[in-house]
Structure formats: structure tokens, C-alpha cells
Amino acid sequence: MKTRAVTGSIFVLVMLASLLTGTYVFVGFYMFLSLVCLIEFFTLVKTTGLRPHSTIGYVAAIILFFSIAGRFLFQFETKWLLINIPLFFGIFIKELYRKSKLPFNNIAYTFLGLIYAVVPFVFYVSSAFISGIYNLHIALGFFLMLWGNDTGAYLFGVKFGKTRLFERHSPKKSWEGFIGGVFTSMLVGYILSIYFTDYAFYHWMIMAFIISCFGTLGDLVESMFKRSIEIKDSGKILPGHGGLLDRFDGLLLSAPIIFVYLYLITY
């Protein structure tokens, strides 16, 4: 428990530092996190005997992230994303020369790794630049509401949890915990609306609700993935907490939905 608490405290401090030390650190840090998550994903898939095209996946991830981030930081044109097209077709060509019984499984998991472990971080970073400049309030508010949801779900679940939410994938999660997470996340959203007036009160409430719902679903999806390959943690990079996929499972589904919501109300 002590190791978990120390790791958690350091993790939160590093996360906050990445948000507060400027746009270059912010973008670079989350590109690094997305790559580590992709490495974890491919490593887990390889334990099943499959062989995703990890090297091509890493190069494609860097190009994807740098092309989008470069548009915000250096006004790059997103045409550099087109480099990924020959890379993607190269995955199929490379698989032709492998002697694999399940070639399309290898191909599919390569693409899934990019969609599942990298694209959500691209959407999160893009959300922070939705207005054209870096918005600390969105970047910070997202994680505060997500952490509020996780904390509330845990505390309410331990105290009142009786009705299983999705026992097949996560036996410990309860409806009571889910409701507690929504309540806590929206409470955080209310506090944010007082100090961060970029968006109206009701927008913060809607974002808090979205983060609670899709953050919980992201947790369940990651649990489903780990159960499908019979492992407990996605990695060991965070002592007492597991891997980065374990820590960012709530972001993986909620960040794209938050981006869509912000885009629709901004433009």
C-alpha cells in the first residue's frame, strides 16, 4: 500500500508538471506516453503468440502524433500524415513474407494498437488546442474530472457497492460506485466552472458526465482486453499500479468523445 501511495503521488506530480511547464513539454510528454502505451500493447499481444508489426507501428505513431502536434506548435501542414499511407500498406506487404498461420491477426493488432493506444492521446492533446492556442484549463480540467471519477467510484464502491456493474469483465465494479464516480466528477466540474470560465457551467457538467461514462467504459474495455489474454496488469512501469495502459484506461475512450463535444460547441 505504501509503494502504491508513493508511486501515485509521484505520478500525479509528474502529470501536473507536464501540464504547467509549457506547450512543448506538454506535447512531448504525451507523445512519449502514447508510445509507451503502444509498446505495452504490442508486448501484451506478443504473449499470445501473435506478431504485430511493432516497428512500423512505432514509426506510424510518431508521424501521426508529430503531424497533428506540429500543426499546433509550428503551423505544419497535416499533409505529412500522408506518409503513413505507404507505411500502412507496407504492413500487408511485410506480412506476405512472414510464415504465419494467422497473418491478418498480426495486421489487425498492429492497426488496433495505433487506434487504441495512440489516437486517444492525439485527441486529448488536440482538445487542449481546440481554440487554436494551448488551453491549460481543458488539459488540467480533463484529468481532474477523470481522477474525481476514479476516486468517487472507488470510495462509493467500497462503502455502498452491492450491485455488480459488469461482473464478467470487472467483478469489483458496482453501479453504486459508478454513480458515486459521476457525482464526484460533476462536483469537480462544478468547482472548475467557478474558476475556469472559458466554458459555461453546463458545458463543464456535460464534460464531467461524458468523462465518467466513457472513462468507466474505457476501464471495462481494458479489463476485457487483459482477461482475453489472461494477464493482470498491462506492465510494471508503475510499482503498485501496473502499466501505463492501466493508469490511462479512462482516457482511451473519453478523450476522443470530449474532443468531439468541444469541437461541436466551439465551431
Side-chain angles (χ1 to χ4, degrees), residues 157-246:
V158 169
K159 184 68 175 178
F160 305 107
K162 293 182 180 179
T163 310
R164 298 301 98 186
L165 178 63
F166 218 124
E167 190 168 9
R168 181 157 55 94
H169 295 304
S170 187
K172 294 182 180 180
K173 290 193 179 301
S174 65
W175 278 103
E176 293 82 2
F178 170 70
I179 293 170
V182 172
F183 170 78
T184 309
S185 182
M186 295 186 77
L187 177 61
V188 173
Y190 168 71
I191 296 171
L192 290 172
S193 72
I194 296 174
Y195 296 98
F196 298 164
T197 57
D198 316 59
Y199 294 96
F201 161 77
Y202 64 91
H203 286 312
W204 286 107
M205 293 294 97
I206 293 172
M207 284 190 280
F209 185 73
I210 290 172
I211 288 171
S212 292
C213 292
F214 285 91
T216 301
L217 288 171
D219 192 331
L220 290 169
V221 167
E222 205 236 354
S223 294
M224 177 175 67
F225 170 59
K226 290 190 294 185
R227 284 181 176 276
S228 71
I229 58 177
E230 299 181 343
I231 58 102
K232 183 178 183 296
D233 295 321
S234 66
K236 299 180 180 179
I237 194 170
L238 299 172
H241 289 263
L244 286 185
L245 281 175
D246 294 321

Coordinates of all heavy atoms in Angstrom, one line a residue, residues 157-246:
G157 N -17.9 2.7 -4.2 CA -17.9 1.3 -4.4 C -17.6 0.5 -3.2 O -18.2 -0.5 -2.8
V158 N -16.5 0.9 -2.5 CA -16.1 0.2 -1.2 C -17.2 0.3 -0.2 O -17.5 -0.6 0.6 CB -14.8 0.8 -0.7 CG1 -14.5 0.3 0.7 CG2 -13.7 0.4 -1.7
K159 N -17.8 1.5 0.0 CA -18.8 1.8 1.0 C -20.1 1.2 0.7 O -20.8 0.6 1.6 CB -18.9 3.3 1.3 CG -19.8 3.7 2.4 CD -19.2 3.3 3.8 CE -20.0 3.9 4.9 NZ -19.5 3.4 6.2
F160 N -20.6 1.4 -0.5 CA -22.0 1.0 -0.8 C -22.2 0.0 -1.9 O -23.3 -0.5 -2.1 CB -22.8 2.3 -1.2 CG -22.7 3.4 -0.3 CD1 -21.9 4.6 -0.6 CD2 -23.4 3.4 0.9 CE1 -21.9 5.6 0.3 CE2 -23.3 4.5 1.8 CZ -22.6 5.6 1.5
G161 N -21.1 -0.4 -2.5 CA -21.2 -1.3 -3.7 C -21.8 -2.7 -3.4 O -21.2 -3.4 -2.6
K162 N -22.9 -2.9 -4.0 CA -23.6 -4.2 -3.9 C -24.0 -4.8 -5.3 O -23.9 -6.0 -5.5 CB -24.8 -4.1 -3.0 CG -24.5 -3.8 -1.6 CD -25.7 -3.7 -0.7 CE -25.4 -3.4 0.7 NZ -26.7 -3.4 1.6
T163 N -24.4 -3.9 -6.2 CA -24.9 -4.3 -7.5 C -23.8 -4.3 -8.5 O -23.3 -3.2 -8.8 CB -26.1 -3.4 -7.9 OG1 -27.0 -3.3 -6.9 CG2 -26.7 -4.0 -9.2
R164 N -23.4 -5.4 -9.0 CA -22.3 -5.5 -10.0 C -22.6 -4.8 -11.2 O -23.7 -4.9 -11.8 CB -22.0 -7.0 -10.3 CG -21.5 -7.8 -9.1 CD -20.3 -7.3 -8.5 NE -20.6 -6.5 -7.3 CZ -19.8 -5.8 -6.5 NH1 -18.5 -5.7 -6.9 NH2 -20.1 -5.1 -5.5
L165 N -21.7 -4.0 -11.7 CA -21.8 -3.2 -12.9 C -21.6 -4.1 -14.2 O -22.4 -4.1 -15.1 CB -20.9 -2.0 -13.0 CG -20.9 -1.1 -14.2 CD1 -22.2 -0.4 -14.3 CD2 -19.7 -0.1 -14.1
F166 N -20.5 -4.8 -14.2 CA -20.2 -5.6 -15.4 C -19.3 -6.8 -14.9 O -18.1 -6.8 -15.2 CB -19.5 -4.8 -16.5 CG -19.9 -5.2 -17.9 CD1 -20.4 -4.2 -18.7 CD2 -19.8 -6.5 -18.3 CE1 -20.8 -4.6 -20.0 CE2 -20.1 -6.8 -19.6 CZ -20.6 -5.9 -20.5
E167 N -19.9 -7.7 -14.2 CA -19.1 -8.7 -13.4 C -18.2 -9.5 -14.3 O -17.2 -10.0 -13.9 CB -20.1 -9.6 -12.6 CG -19.4 -10.5 -11.6 CD -20.3 -11.1 -10.7 OE1 -21.5 -11.0 -10.9 OE2 -19.8 -11.8 -9.7
R168 N -18.7 -9.8 -15.5 CA -17.9 -10.6 -16.4 C -16.5 -10.1 -16.7 O -15.6 -10.8 -16.9 CB -18.7 -10.8 -17.8 CG -18.0 -11.7 -18.8 CD -19.1 -12.3 -19.7 NE -19.8 -11.2 -20.3 CZ -19.5 -10.6 -21.5 NH1 -18.5 -11.1 -22.2 NH2 -20.3 -9.7 -22.1
H169 N -16.4 -8.8 -16.8 CA -15.1 -8.1 -17.1 C -14.4 -7.5 -15.9 O -13.2 -7.4 -15.9 CB -15.3 -7.1 -18.2 CG -15.8 -7.6 -19.5 ND1 -15.1 -8.6 -20.2 CD2 -16.9 -7.4 -20.3 CE1 -15.7 -8.9 -21.3 NE2 -16.8 -8.2 -21.4
S170 N -15.2 -7.0 -14.9 CA -14.6 -6.4 -13.7 C -15.5 -6.7 -12.5 O -16.4 -5.9 -12.2 CB -14.5 -4.9 -14.0 OG -13.8 -4.3 -13.0
P171 N -15.2 -7.8 -11.8 CA -16.1 -8.2 -10.7 C -16.2 -7.2 -9.6 O -17.2 -7.2 -8.8 CB -15.4 -9.5 -10.2 CG -14.5 -9.9 -11.3 CD -14.1 -8.7 -12.0
K172 N -15.3 -6.3 -9.4 CA -15.3 -5.3 -8.3 C -16.1 -4.1 -8.6 O -16.5 -3.4 -7.6 CB -13.9 -5.0 -7.9 CG -13.1 -6.1 -7.3 CD -11.7 -5.7 -6.9 CE -10.9 -6.9 -6.3 NZ -9.5 -6.4 -5.8
K173 N -16.4 -3.8 -9.8 CA -17.1 -2.6 -10.1 C -18.6 -2.7 -9.8 O -19.2 -3.8 -10.1 CB -16.9 -2.2 -11.6 CG -15.5 -1.7 -11.9 CD -15.4 -1.0 -13.2 CE -14.0 -0.5 -13.5 NZ -13.5 0.4 -12.4
S174 N -19.2 -1.6 -9.3 CA -20.6 -1.7 -9.0 C -21.3 -0.5 -9.5 O -20.7 0.6 -9.8 CB -20.8 -1.7 -7.4 OG -20.3 -0.5 -6.9
W175 N -22.6 -0.6 -9.6 CA -23.4 0.6 -10.0 C -23.4 1.7 -9.0 O -23.4 2.9 -9.4 CB -24.9 0.2 -10.2 CG -25.1 -0.5 -11.6 CD1 -25.3 -1.8 -11.8 CD2 -25.3 0.2 -12.8 NE1 -25.5 -2.0 -13.2 CE2 -25.5 -0.8 -13.8 CE3 -25.2 1.5 -13.2 CZ2 -25.6 -0.5 -15.2 CZ3 -25.3 1.8 -14.6 CH2 -25.6 0.8 -15.5
E176 N -23.3 1.3 -7.8 CA -23.2 2.4 -6.7 C -21.9 3.1 -6.9 O -21.8 4.4 -6.7 CB -23.2 1.7 -5.3 CG -24.6 1.1 -5.0 CD -24.8 -0.3 -5.5 OE1 -23.9 -0.8 -6.2 OE2 -25.9 -0.9 -5.3
G177 N -20.8 2.4 -7.2 CA -19.5 3.1 -7.4 C -19.6 3.9 -8.7 O -19.0 5.0 -8.7
F178 N -20.2 3.5 -9.7 CA -20.3 4.3 -10.9 C -21.1 5.6 -10.7 O -20.7 6.6 -11.1 CB -21.1 3.5 -12.0 CG -21.5 4.3 -13.2 CD1 -20.5 4.8 -14.1 CD2 -22.8 4.6 -13.4 CE1 -20.9 5.5 -15.2 CE2 -23.2 5.4 -14.5 CZ -22.2 5.8 -15.4
I179 N -22.2 5.5 -9.9 CA -23.0 6.7 -9.6 C -22.2 7.6 -8.7 O -22.2 8.8 -8.9 CB -24.3 6.3 -8.9 CG1 -25.2 5.5 -9.9 CG2 -25.0 7.5 -8.3 CD1 -26.4 4.9 -9.2
G180 N -21.4 7.1 -7.8 CA -20.5 7.9 -7.0 C -19.4 8.6 -7.8 O -19.1 9.7 -7.5
G181 N -18.9 7.9 -8.8 CA -17.9 8.5 -9.7 C -18.5 9.6 -10.5 O -17.9 10.7 -10.6
V182 N -19.7 9.4 -11.0 CA -20.4 10.5 -11.7 C -20.6 11.7 -10.8 O -20.3 12.9 -11.2 CB -21.7 10.0 -12.3 CG1 -22.5 11.2 -12.9 CG2 -21.5 8.9 -13.4
F183 N -21.1 11.5 -9.6 CA -21.3 12.6 -8.7 C -20.0 13.3 -8.4 O -20.0 14.6 -8.4 CB -21.9 12.0 -7.4 CG -22.0 13.0 -6.2 CD1 -23.0 14.0 -6.2 CD2 -21.0 13.0 -5.2 CE1 -23.0 14.9 -5.2 CE2 -21.0 13.9 -4.2 CZ -22.0 14.9 -4.2
T184 N -19.0 12.6 -8.1 CA -17.7 13.3 -7.7 C -17.1 14.0 -8.9 O -16.6 15.1 -8.8 CB -16.7 12.2 -7.2 OG1 -17.3 11.4 -6.2 CG2 -15.4 12.9 -6.7
S185 N -17.2 13.4 -10.1 CA -16.7 14.1 -11.3 C -17.4 15.4 -11.6 O -16.8 16.4 -11.9 CB -16.8 13.1 -12.5 OG -16.2 13.7 -13.6
M186 N -18.8 15.3 -11.4 CA -19.6 16.5 -11.7 C -19.3 17.6 -10.6 O -19.4 18.8 -10.9 CB -21.0 16.1 -11.8 CG -21.3 15.3 -13.0 SD -23.1 14.9 -13.3 CE -23.6 16.5 -14.0
L187 N -19.0 17.1 -9.4 CA -18.7 18.1 -8.3 C -17.4 18.8 -8.7 O -17.3 20.0 -8.5 CB -18.5 17.3 -7.0 CG -18.1 18.2 -5.8 CD1 -19.2 19.3 -5.5 CD2 -17.9 17.3 -4.5
V188 N -16.4 18.1 -9.2 CA -15.2 18.7 -9.6 C -15.5 19.6 -10.8 O -14.9 20.7 -10.9 CB -14.2 17.6 -10.1 CG1 -12.9 18.2 -10.7 CG2 -13.8 16.7 -8.9
G189 N -16.3 19.2 -11.7 CA -16.7 20.0 -12.9 C -17.3 21.3 -12.4 O -17.1 22.4 -13.0
Y190 N -18.2 21.3 -11.4 CA -18.8 22.5 -10.8 C -17.8 23.4 -10.3 O -17.8 24.6 -10.5 CB -19.8 22.1 -9.7 CG -20.3 23.3 -8.9 CD1 -21.1 24.2 -9.5 CD2 -19.8 23.5 -7.6 CE1 -21.6 25.3 -8.7 CE2 -20.3 24.6 -6.9 CZ -21.1 25.5 -7.4 OH -21.5 26.6 -6.7
I191 N -16.8 22.9 -9.5 CA -15.7 23.7 -9.0 C -14.9 24.4 -10.1 O -14.5 25.5 -10.0 CB -14.8 22.9 -8.0 CG1 -15.6 22.4 -6.8 CG2 -13.6 23.7 -7.6 CD1 -14.9 21.4 -5.9
L192 N -14.6 23.6 -11.1 CA -13.9 24.1 -12.3 C -14.6 25.2 -13.0 O -14.0 26.2 -13.4 CB -13.6 23.0 -13.3 CG -12.6 21.9 -12.8 CD1 -12.6 20.7 -13.8 CD2 -11.2 22.5 -12.7
S193 N -15.9 25.1 -13.0 CA -16.7 26.1 -13.7 C -16.7 27.5 -13.0 O -16.9 28.5 -13.6 CB -18.2 25.7 -13.9 OG -18.8 25.7 -12.6
I194 N -16.4 27.4 -11.7 CA -16.3 28.7 -10.9 C -15.0 29.4 -11.3 O -15.0 30.7 -11.4 CB -16.3 28.4 -9.4 CG1 -17.7 27.8 -9.0 CG2 -16.1 29.6 -8.6 CD1 -17.8 27.3 -7.6
Y195 N -13.9 28.7 -11.4 CA -12.6 29.3 -11.6 C -12.2 29.3 -13.1 O -11.4 30.2 -13.5 CB -11.5 28.5 -10.8 CG -11.7 28.6 -9.3 CD1 -12.4 27.5 -8.7 CD2 -11.3 29.7 -8.6 CE1 -12.6 27.6 -7.3 CE2 -11.5 29.8 -7.3 CZ -12.1 28.7 -6.6 OH -12.4 28.8 -5.2
F196 N -12.6 28.4 -13.9 CA -12.3 28.3 -15.3 C -13.6 28.7 -16.1 O -14.4 27.9 -16.3 CB -11.9 26.9 -15.7 CG -10.6 26.5 -15.0 CD1 -10.3 25.1 -15.1 CD2 -9.8 27.3 -14.4 CE1 -9.1 24.7 -14.4 CE2 -8.6 26.9 -13.7 CZ -8.3 25.6 -13.8
T197 N -13.6 30.0 -16.5 CA -14.9 30.5 -17.1 C -14.8 30.5 -18.6 O -15.6 31.1 -19.3 CB -15.1 31.9 -16.6 OG1 -14.0 32.7 -16.9 CG2 -15.4 31.9 -15.1
D198 N -13.9 29.7 -19.2 CA -13.8 29.6 -20.6 C -15.1 29.0 -21.2 O -15.5 29.4 -22.3 CB -12.6 28.6 -21.1 CG -11.3 28.9 -20.3 OD1 -11.4 28.8 -19.0 OD2 -10.3 29.2 -20.9
Y199 N -15.6 28.1 -20.4 CA -16.9 27.4 -20.9 C -17.9 27.6 -19.8 O -17.6 27.7 -18.6 CB -16.6 25.9 -21.1 CG -15.7 25.7 -22.3 CD1 -14.3 25.5 -22.1 CD2 -16.2 25.7 -23.6 CE1 -13.5 25.3 -23.2 CE2 -15.4 25.4 -24.7 CZ -14.0 25.2 -24.5 OH -13.2 25.0 -25.6
A200 N -19.2 27.6 -20.2 CA -20.3 27.8 -19.3 C -20.4 26.6 -18.3 O -19.9 25.5 -18.6 CB -21.6 28.0 -20.0
F201 N -21.1 26.8 -17.2 CA -21.3 25.8 -16.2 C -21.8 24.5 -16.8 O -21.3 23.4 -16.4 CB -22.3 26.4 -15.1 CG -22.9 25.3 -14.3 CD1 -22.2 24.7 -13.2 CD2 -24.2 24.9 -14.5 CE1 -22.8 23.8 -12.4 CE2 -24.8 23.9 -13.7 CZ -24.1 23.4 -12.7
Y202 N -22.8 24.6 -17.6 CA -23.4 23.4 -18.1 C -22.5 22.6 -19.0 O -22.6 21.4 -19.1 CB -24.7 23.7 -18.8 CG -24.6 24.5 -20.1 CD1 -24.5 23.9 -21.3 CD2 -24.7 25.9 -20.0 CE1 -24.4 24.6 -22.5 CE2 -24.7 26.6 -21.2 CZ -24.5 26.0 -22.4 OH -24.4 26.8 -23.5
H203 N -21.5 23.3 -19.7 CA -20.5 22.6 -20.5 C -19.6 21.7 -19.6 O -19.3 20.6 -20.0 CB -19.7 23.5 -21.3 CG -20.5 24.1 -22.5 ND1 -21.2 23.4 -23.4 CD2 -20.6 25.4 -22.9 CE1 -21.7 24.1 -24.3 NE2 -21.4 25.4 -24.1
W204 N -19.2 22.3 -18.5 CA -18.4 21.5 -17.6 C -19.1 20.3 -17.0 O -18.6 19.3 -16.8 CB -17.9 22.4 -16.4 CG -16.8 23.4 -16.9 CD1 -16.9 24.7 -17.0 CD2 -15.4 23.1 -17.2 NE1 -15.7 25.3 -17.4 CE2 -14.8 24.3 -17.5 CE3 -14.7 21.9 -17.2 CZ2 -13.4 24.3 -17.9 CZ3 -13.3 21.9 -17.5 CH2 -12.7 23.2 -17.9
M205 N -20.4 20.5 -16.8 CA -21.2 19.4 -16.3 C -21.3 18.3 -17.3 O -21.2 17.1 -17.0 CB -22.6 19.9 -15.9 CG -22.7 20.9 -14.7 SD -22.2 20.1 -13.1 CE -20.5 20.6 -13.0
I206 N -21.6 18.7 -18.5 CA -21.7 17.7 -19.6 C -20.3 17.0 -19.8 O -20.3 15.7 -20.0 CB -22.1 18.4 -20.9 CG1 -23.6 18.9 -20.8 CG2 -22.0 17.4 -22.1 CD1 -24.0 19.7 -21.9
M207 N -19.2 17.7 -19.8 CA -17.9 17.1 -19.9 C -17.6 16.1 -18.8 O -17.1 15.0 -19.0 CB -16.8 18.1 -20.0 CG -16.8 18.9 -21.4 SD -15.3 19.9 -21.6 CE -15.8 21.4 -20.7
A208 N -18.0 16.5 -17.6 CA -17.8 15.6 -16.4 C -18.6 14.3 -16.6 O -18.1 13.2 -16.3 CB -18.2 16.3 -15.1
F209 N -19.8 14.4 -17.1 CA -20.7 13.2 -17.3 C -20.1 12.4 -18.4 O -20.0 11.1 -18.2 CB -22.1 13.7 -17.7 CG -23.1 12.5 -17.8 CD1 -23.5 11.9 -16.6 CD2 -23.5 12.1 -19.0 CE1 -24.4 10.8 -16.7 CE2 -24.4 11.1 -19.1 CZ -24.8 10.4 -18.0
I210 N -19.6 13.0 -19.5 CA -19.0 12.2 -20.6 C -17.8 11.5 -20.0 O -17.6 10.3 -20.3 CB -18.6 13.1 -21.7 CG1 -19.9 13.7 -22.4 CG2 -17.7 12.4 -22.7 CD1 -19.5 14.7 -23.5
I211 N -16.9 12.2 -19.3 CA -15.7 11.5 -18.8 C -16.0 10.4 -17.8 O -15.4 9.3 -17.9 CB -14.8 12.6 -18.1 CG1 -14.2 13.5 -19.1 CG2 -13.8 12.0 -17.2 CD1 -13.5 14.7 -18.5
S212 N -17.0 10.6 -17.0 CA -17.4 9.5 -16.1 C -17.9 8.2 -16.8 O -17.5 7.1 -16.6 CB -18.5 9.9 -15.1 OG -18.1 10.9 -14.2
C213 N -18.8 8.5 -17.8 CA -19.4 7.3 -18.6 C -18.3 6.6 -19.4 O -18.1 5.4 -19.3 CB -20.5 7.8 -19.4 SG -22.0 8.4 -18.5
F214 N -17.6 7.4 -20.2 CA -16.7 6.8 -21.2 C -15.4 6.4 -20.5 O -14.7 5.5 -20.9 CB -16.4 7.7 -22.4 CG -17.6 7.7 -23.3 CD1 -18.6 8.6 -23.2 CD2 -17.7 6.8 -24.3 CE1 -19.7 8.6 -24.0 CE2 -18.8 6.8 -25.2 CZ -19.8 7.7 -25.0
G215 N -15.0 7.1 -19.4 CA -13.9 6.7 -18.6 C -14.1 5.3 -18.0 O -13.2 4.4 -17.9
T216 N -15.3 5.1 -17.5 CA -15.7 3.8 -16.9 C -15.7 2.7 -18.0 O -15.2 1.6 -17.8 CB -17.1 3.8 -16.2 OG1 -17.1 4.8 -15.2 CG2 -17.5 2.5 -15.7
L217 N -16.2 3.0 -19.2 CA -16.2 2.1 -20.3 C -14.8 1.8 -20.7 O -14.5 0.6 -21.0 CB -17.0 2.7 -21.4 CG -18.6 2.7 -21.3 CD1 -19.2 3.5 -22.4 CD2 -19.1 1.3 -21.2
G218 N -13.9 2.8 -20.7 CA -12.5 2.5 -21.1 C -11.9 1.6 -20.1 O -11.1 0.7 -20.5
D219 N -12.2 1.7 -18.8 CA -11.7 0.8 -17.8 C -12.2 -0.6 -18.1 O -11.4 -1.6 -18.0 CB -12.1 1.3 -16.4 CG -11.4 0.6 -15.3 OD1 -11.0 -0.6 -15.5 OD2 -11.3 1.1 -14.2
L220 N -13.4 -0.8 -18.4 CA -14.0 -2.1 -18.7 C -13.4 -2.7 -19.9 O -13.1 -3.9 -20.0 CB -15.5 -2.0 -18.8 CG -16.3 -1.7 -17.5 CD1 -17.7 -1.3 -17.8 CD2 -16.2 -2.9 -16.6
V221 N -13.2 -1.9 -21.0 CA -12.6 -2.4 -22.2 C -11.2 -2.9 -22.0 O -10.8 -3.9 -22.5 CB -12.6 -1.3 -23.3 CG1 -11.7 -1.7 -24.5 CG2 -14.0 -1.0 -23.8
E222 N -10.4 -2.1 -21.2 CA -9.1 -2.6 -20.9 C -9.1 -3.9 -20.1 O -8.3 -4.8 -20.3 CB -8.3 -1.5 -20.1 CG -6.8 -1.6 -20.3 CD -6.0 -1.7 -19.0 OE1 -6.6 -1.6 -17.9 OE2 -4.8 -2.0 -19.1
S223 N -10.0 -4.0 -19.1 CA -10.2 -5.2 -18.3 C -10.5 -6.4 -19.3 O -10.0 -7.5 -19.1 CB -11.3 -5.1 -17.3 OG -10.9 -4.1 -16.3
M224 N -11.4 -6.1 -20.2 CA -11.8 -7.2 -21.2 C -10.6 -7.6 -22.0 O -10.4 -8.8 -22.2 CB -12.9 -6.6 -22.2 CG -13.3 -7.6 -23.3 SD -14.6 -6.9 -24.3 CE -13.8 -5.5 -25.1
F225 N -9.7 -6.7 -22.4 CA -8.5 -7.0 -23.2 C -7.6 -7.9 -22.3 O -7.1 -8.9 -22.8 CB -7.8 -5.7 -23.6 CG -6.5 -5.9 -24.2 CD1 -6.3 -6.7 -25.3 CD2 -5.3 -5.3 -23.7 CE1 -5.0 -6.9 -25.9 CE2 -4.1 -5.5 -24.2 CZ -3.9 -6.3 -25.3
K226 N -7.3 -7.4 -21.1 CA -6.4 -8.2 -20.2 C -7.0 -9.6 -19.9 O -6.2 -10.6 -19.9 CB -6.2 -7.4 -18.9 CG -5.3 -6.1 -19.1 CD -4.9 -5.5 -17.8 CE -6.1 -5.0 -17.0 NZ -5.6 -4.3 -15.8
R227 N -8.3 -9.7 -19.7 CA -8.8 -11.0 -19.4 C -8.8 -11.9 -20.7 O -8.6 -13.1 -20.5 CB -10.3 -10.9 -19.0 CG -10.4 -10.4 -17.6 CD -11.9 -10.3 -17.1 NE -12.0 -9.9 -15.7 CZ -11.9 -10.8 -14.7 NH1 -11.8 -12.1 -15.0 NH2 -12.0 -10.4 -13.5
S228 N -8.8 -11.3 -21.8 CA -8.8 -12.1 -23.1 C -7.4 -12.8 -23.3 O -7.3 -13.8 -23.9 CB -9.2 -11.3 -24.3 OG -8.1 -10.3 -24.6
I229 N -6.4 -12.1 -22.7 CA -5.0 -12.7 -22.8 C -4.5 -13.2 -21.5 O -3.3 -13.6 -21.4 CB -4.0 -11.7 -23.5 CG1 -4.0 -10.4 -22.6 CG2 -4.4 -11.4 -24.9 CD1 -2.9 -9.4 -23.1
E230 N -5.4 -13.2 -20.5 CA -5.1 -13.8 -19.2 C -3.9 -13.2 -18.5 O -3.0 -13.9 -18.0 CB -4.9 -15.3 -19.3 CG -6.2 -16.0 -19.9 CD -6.0 -17.5 -20.0 OE1 -4.8 -18.0 -19.9 OE2 -7.0 -18.2 -20.1
I231 N -3.9 -11.9 -18.4 CA -2.9 -11.2 -17.6 C -3.6 -10.2 -16.6 O -4.7 -9.8 -16.8 CB -1.9 -10.4 -18.5 CG1 -2.6 -9.4 -19.4 CG2 -1.1 -11.4 -19.3 CD1 -2.4 -8.0 -18.9
K232 N -2.9 -9.8 -15.5 CA -3.5 -9.0 -14.5 C -3.2 -7.5 -14.8 O -4.1 -6.7 -14.7 CB -2.9 -9.4 -13.1 CG -3.5 -8.6 -12.0 CD -3.0 -9.1 -10.6 CE -3.6 -8.4 -9.5 NZ -3.4 -7.0 -9.4
D233 N -1.9 -7.2 -15.0 CA -1.5 -5.8 -15.3 C -0.9 -5.6 -16.6 O -0.3 -6.6 -17.2 CB -0.5 -5.3 -14.2 CG -1.1 -5.3 -12.8 OD1 -2.3 -4.9 -12.7 OD2 -0.4 -5.7 -11.9
S234 N -1.1 -4.4 -17.2 CA -0.5 -4.2 -18.6 C 1.0 -4.1 -18.6 O 1.6 -4.1 -19.6 CB -1.2 -3.0 -19.2 OG -0.8 -1.8 -18.5
G235 N 1.6 -3.8 -17.4 CA 3.0 -3.6 -17.3 C 3.5 -3.5 -15.9 O 2.7 -3.6 -14.9
K236 N 4.7 -3.1 -15.7 CA 5.3 -3.0 -14.3 C 6.0 -1.6 -14.2 O 6.7 -1.4 -13.2 CB 6.3 -4.1 -14.0 CG 5.6 -5.5 -14.1 CD 6.7 -6.5 -13.8 CE 6.1 -7.9 -13.8 NZ 7.1 -9.0 -13.6
I237 N 5.7 -0.7 -15.1 CA 6.4 0.6 -15.0 C 6.1 1.4 -13.8 O 6.9 2.3 -13.4 CB 6.1 1.4 -16.3 CG1 7.1 2.5 -16.5 CG2 4.7 1.9 -16.4 CD1 7.1 3.2 -17.9
L238 N 4.9 1.2 -13.3 CA 4.4 2.0 -12.1 C 4.2 1.0 -10.9 O 3.2 0.3 -10.8 CB 3.1 2.7 -12.4 CG 3.2 3.8 -13.5 CD1 1.8 4.3 -13.8 CD2 4.1 4.9 -13.1
P239 N 5.2 0.9 -10.0 CA 5.1 -0.1 -8.9 C 3.8 0.1 -8.1 O 3.5 1.2 -7.7 CB 6.3 0.2 -8.1 CG 7.3 0.8 -9.0 CD 6.5 1.6 -10.0
G240 N 3.1 -1.0 -8.0 CA 1.8 -0.9 -7.2 C 0.6 -0.5 -8.0 O -0.5 -0.6 -7.6
H241 N 0.9 -0.1 -9.3 CA -0.2 0.4 -10.1 C -0.3 -0.4 -11.5 O -1.3 -0.3 -12.1 CB -0.1 1.9 -10.4 CG -0.4 2.8 -9.3 ND1 -1.6 3.4 -9.1 CD2 0.4 3.2 -8.2 CE1 -1.5 4.1 -7.9 NE2 -0.3 4.0 -7.4
G242 N 0.8 -1.0 -11.8 CA 0.8 -1.7 -13.1 C 1.4 -0.9 -14.2 O 2.4 -0.2 -14.0
G243 N 0.8 -1.0 -15.4 CA 1.4 -0.3 -16.5 C 0.7 1.0 -16.8 O -0.3 1.4 -16.2
L244 N 1.2 1.7 -17.9 CA 0.5 3.0 -18.2 C -0.9 2.8 -18.8 O -1.8 3.6 -18.7 CB 1.4 3.7 -19.2 CG 2.7 4.4 -18.7 CD1 3.4 5.2 -19.7 CD2 2.3 5.3 -17.5
L245 N -1.1 1.7 -19.5 CA -2.4 1.4 -20.0 C -3.4 1.2 -18.9 O -4.6 1.6 -19.0 CB -2.4 0.1 -20.9 CG -1.9 0.2 -22.3 CD1 -1.9 -1.1 -23.0 CD2 -2.8 1.2 -23.1
D246 N -2.9 0.7 -17.8 CA -3.8 0.6 -16.6 C -4.2 1.9 -16.0 O -5.3 2.1 -15.5 CB -3.1 -0.2 -15.5 CG -2.9 -1.7 -15.9 OD1 -3.7 -2.3 -16.5 OD2 -1.8 -2.2 -15.5

